[in-house]
Amino acid sequence: MKISLNWLKDYIDLSGISVEEIVNKITVSGLEVEEVEYQAKVFENFVAGYVKEKIKHPNADKLSLCRIFDGNEEFKVVCGAPNVAQGQMIPFAKVGAVIPNGGFTIAPVKIRGEESFGMICSEKELGLSDNHEGIMVLNEKFSPGTPLADVLGMNDVILDIAITPNRADALSHIGIARELSALFNKKVTYPEINIKRSKLKSADYAKVIINDPSGCPRYSGKVVLNAEVKESPEWLKTRLKNIGLRPINNIVDVTNFVLHEVGQPLHAFDRDLLPGGAIVV
């Protein structure tokens, strides 16, 4: 199970405690840490770059010559993406960077007679998605030279923990926070839950029918009216991506968030697509 250290810090204060101490204590307590991933290392030599100039490549119709500012210096970069434009903030792989999707190292090259010192990256090249139709354009609020790991919210440390069958209580971020609370004598801060409940009855809109009570003695549901299916906010997408999940939409993503926060499996159904408005178990 993958646990995000940044996410854990929502529930427990880990300041002054090193990653090595956390890994050692968890492992000694019986929850073996199989792998530690330092995300920022994946994006070493990647920064937010500013496209100061874009002109046509003199020897290639589909290539551009760009001047990229990294906060300190300007670099000439040959780019083949159709959507690159002057004034953009972009993910800039400097010489020495290793591209996550492909594993090749950026070096100075000459492309159609023009020197290029770096690479402007797409989401696919960064390993963020399958989108390779053009370069990734960053939010303009970031300054040139900002480490890309900070821009993407991928400056996290991910612990891959082996959970034994008798420790279902540890199958969540709050479960691991409770474990660390006991190991380091720290307080767990639980999230505030403020639900605005309607006076309407769920049973008037949908129902649960359990046909096999011996196999499933309990199955509960809640109706949410007027839900709008749309893209999740960035903080939610980042939380999920950091533990290896692919964001889908706000409804699916929040059920995955709750699963990995408290360990409670959830599934969202479109009531309009349920025959008779019923979940049959």
Side-chain angles (χ1 to χ4, degrees), residues 140-192:
E140 295 180 1
K141 70 179 182 180
F142 295 101
S143 302
T146 304
L148 188 62
D150 293 342
V151 173
L152 299 176
M154 298 185 71
N155 51 2
D156 206 345
V157 177
I158 308 300
L159 308 179
D160 197 347
I161 304 176
I163 309 295
T164 52
N166 63 316
R167 292 303 310 274
D169 60 291
L171 284 171
S172 66
H173 280 74
I174 285 180
I176 297 298
R178 285 195 300 258
E179 190 77 2
L180 293 174
S181 168
L183 293 170
F184 290 102
N185 194 26
K186 296 275 188 176
K187 179 184 176 183
V188 176
T189 302
Y190 293 95
E192 290 186 19

Side-chain angles (χ1 to χ4, degrees), residues 22-73:
I22 291 171
V23 168
N24 181 61
K25 284 270 194 179
I26 289 179
T27 301
V28 168
S29 76
L31 303 177
E32 182 184 359
V33 178
E34 296 183 316
E35 185 181 1
V36 180
E37 176 192 346
Y38 293 86
Q39 287 187 329
K41 288 186 177 181
V42 176
F43 295 108
E44 281 184 337
N45 291 319
F46 288 83
V47 299
Y50 178 72
V51 183
K52 294 195 76 170
E53 181 184 58
K54 174 203 169 183
I55 60 174
K56 186 179 178 298
H57 192 295
N59 305 315
D61 290 338
K62 294 185 177 180
L63 297 179
S64 304
L65 289 179
C66 301
R67 279 194 301 122
I68 308 299
F69 179 57
D70 75 342
N72 293 309
E73 303 177 66

Side-chain angles (χ1 to χ4, degrees), residues 8 18 67 145 183 215 221 266 271 277:
L8 269 183
S18 69
R67 279 194 301 122
L183 293 170
L266 295 175
R271 185 250 177 254

Side-chain angles (χ1 to χ4, degrees), residues 107-167:
V109 293
K110 189 171 281 191
I111 302 175
R112 293 291 186 92
E114 294 290 337
E115 291 183 312
S116 181
F117 299 91
M119 179 178 175
I120 306 173
C121 300
S122 68
E123 290 187 11
K124 184 172 183 178
E125 288 156 346
L126 295 171
L128 302 177
S129 76
D130 293 328
N131 183 3
H132 60 94
E133 295 178 359
I135 60 159
M136 183 180 184
V137 180
L138 304 177
N139 193 309
E140 295 180 1
K141 70 179 182 180
F142 295 101
S143 302
T146 304
L148 188 62
D150 293 342
V151 173
L152 299 176
M154 298 185 71
N155 51 2
D156 206 345
V157 177
I158 308 300
L159 308 179
D160 197 347
I161 304 176
I163 309 295
T164 52
N166 63 316
R167 292 303 310 274

Side-chain angles (χ1 to χ4, degrees), residues 213-279:
S214 61
C216 177
R218 177 175 168 80
Y219 189 111
S220 61
K222 177 68 69 175
V223 175
V224 180
L225 298 176
N226 304 316
E228 180 185 357
V229 181
K230 57 184 179 180
E231 186 177 356
S232 295
E234 283 302 320
W235 72 265
L236 177 52
K237 291 193 290 185
T238 298
R239 282 281 193 260
L240 298 181
K241 286 188 288 189
N242 282 2
I243 59 170
L245 298 181
R246 183 168 63 93
I248 306 296
N249 59 50
N250 58 333
I251 305 298
V252 175
D253 294 349
V254 77
T255 61
N256 281 330
F257 177 85
V258 171
L259 167 63
H260 287 270
E261 180 183 49
V262 300
Q264 172 62 55
L266 295 175
H267 188 79
F269 296 90
D270 186 335
R271 185 250 177 254
D272 293 338
L273 300 180
L274 284 175
I279 296 170

